[in-house]
Amino acid sequence: ASRAAIERLHDRLDQAQRRVPDLEREIADLESQLGDPALFQRDPERFKAAAARLELARREKSAAEDEWLELELKRDALENADG
């Protein structure tokens, strides 16, 4: 593999590694918001929006983790192929 291809792979890997913790923080924040028993009473639209975003953030986190693993495997294969 070319040096440029390996560098691109490392860049994508860095992005994936940063994305997962960002999503974990967002998920924790949304779970905290939704843990407020009065939120639905006070602001049902905000509750619905937070619940929808939480579902999406969880899916995005799962996809980011899958991508991270895939990129790690590709990196290992490229680095081992180069000796």
Side-chain angles (χ1 to χ4, degrees), residues 9-35:
L9 183 61
H10 279 265
D11 289 344
R12 287 180 58 207
L13 186 54
D14 288 344
Q15 289 173 354
Q17 289 171 330
R18 285 190 305 271
R19 182 84 175 119
V20 170
D22 290 346
L23 287 164
E24 287 173 340
R25 280 188 293 278
E26 181 181 7
I27 289 167
D29 181 57
L30 290 163
E31 288 174 339
S32 177
Q33 289 177 41
L34 292 169

Side-chain angles (χ1 to χ4, degrees), residues 6-66:
I6 292 172
E7 287 178 18
R8 281 192 304 274
L9 183 61
H10 279 265
D11 289 344
R12 287 180 58 207
L13 186 54
D14 288 344
Q15 289 173 354
Q17 289 171 330
R18 285 190 305 271
R19 182 84 175 119
V20 170
D22 290 346
L23 287 164
E24 287 173 340
R25 280 188 293 278
E26 181 181 7
I27 289 167
D29 181 57
L30 290 163
E31 288 174 339
S32 177
Q33 289 177 41
L34 292 169
D36 176 359
L39 177 60
F40 186 77
Q41 287 279 42
R42 250 188 351 262
D43 193 344
E45 289 306 312
R46 182 171 161 212
F47 179 90
K48 290 176 191 174
R53 178 59 199 143
L54 177 59
E55 182 180 334
L56 182 59
R58 286 177 173 159
R59 287 195 309 259
E60 288 175 2
K61 179 181 173 254
S62 179
E65 289 171 332
D66 290 346

Side-chain angles (χ1 to χ4, degrees), residues 67-82:
E67 180 184 24
W68 183 354
L69 177 59
E70 179 183 325
L71 291 168
E72 286 279 3
L73 293 172
K74 286 181 181 180
R75 183 194 65 187
D76 289 347
L78 286 174
E79 288 177 353
N80 290 332
D82 287 345

